[in-house]
Amino acid sequence: QVQLQESGPGLVKPSETLSLTCTVSGVSISSYYWSWIRQPPGKGLEWIAYISYSGRTNYNPSLKSRVTISVDTSKNQFSLKLNSVTVADTAVYFCARVGTPLDFDYWGQGTLVTVSS
Amino acid sequence: SYVLTQPPSVSVAPGKTARITCGGNNIGSNDVHWYQQRPGQAPVLVIYYDSDRPSGIPERFSGSRSGNMATLTIDRVEAGDEADYYCQVWDSSSDHGAFGGGTKLTVL
């Protein structure tokens, strides 16, 4: 079955770069689009970005200047980098598969990233 | 940016019907999807393409869309349905995803 697993540091200092990787199993990453979504503590979901198997990307306009999403098909992984982080970037970060209906049909369990000095 | 409006909270007694709405100016031109998120867990897709159910989702969950409003309906509500619910569209004009603010469903 399709599984996604986020990995990366749980603590990042202000002004530094947040880096996360999503490892996909059960399906080839080359067959779908993939997204990152985050959720600040006690708040709602925020879509961050998507990437296609061919490397096509798009970003949330509110984060576009600080975000990069990339894919490594050889490892069946995709990644997120968010630079110049502040405490406002503290959130649970989820990776998800974009389904044919342009929904998010499979999700990782999420990883909490705290921005603090 | 695309704005989807949901009521912050909905309360319903066990066995009754819960309806959660999702409004947006251009929602009529986009498919609406719904997610259930229990505390400490990742969201789970419960409705896609406005009204289709993924396998494993009970028939008690249904969706509809009319004009600029989509509705998630949960019949015969159970205690286990208590969760946050989010609507989502893919904004075709800007090619990005968008979520509603979420609705906390409380089972009385």
Coordinates of all heavy atoms in Angstrom, one line a residue, chain A residues 1 7 17 35 37 62 86 108:
Chain A
Q1 N 0.8 -1.2 0.0 CA 0.0 0.0 0.0 C 0.9 1.2 0.0 O 2.0 1.2 0.4 CB -0.9 0.0 1.2 CG -0.3 0.3 2.5 CD 0.4 -1.0 3.1 OE1 0.8 -1.9 2.4 NE2 0.5 -1.0 4.5
S7 N 10.7 13.1 7.2 CA 11.9 13.1 8.0 C 12.7 14.4 8.0 O 12.6 15.1 6.9 CB 12.9 11.9 7.6 OG 13.3 12.1 6.3
T17 N 17.4 27.5 7.7 CA 16.6 26.8 6.6 C 16.0 25.5 7.2 O 16.8 24.7 7.8 CB 17.5 26.6 5.4 OG1 17.9 27.8 4.8 CG2 16.7 25.8 4.4
S35 N 2.8 16.9 -2.8 CA 2.6 18.2 -2.1 C 3.2 18.2 -0.7 O 3.3 17.1 -0.1 CB 1.2 18.6 -2.1 OG 0.8 19.5 -3.1
I37 N 2.1 20.2 2.9 CA 1.1 21.0 3.6 C 1.5 21.1 5.1 O 2.1 20.2 5.6 CB -0.3 20.1 3.5 CG1 -0.7 20.0 2.1 CG2 -1.4 20.8 4.4 CD1 -1.6 18.8 1.8
S62 N 2.0 33.1 -0.7 CA 2.5 33.7 0.6 C 3.8 33.2 1.0 O 4.5 33.8 1.9 CB 1.5 33.4 1.7 OG 1.4 32.1 2.0
T86 N 10.9 31.8 10.7 CA 10.6 32.6 11.9 C 9.7 31.7 12.8 O 9.3 30.6 12.4 CB 9.9 33.9 11.6 OG1 8.6 33.5 11.2 CG2 10.6 34.7 10.6
G108 N 1.4 11.6 4.8 CA 2.4 11.1 5.8 C 1.8 11.4 7.2 O 0.7 12.1 7.3

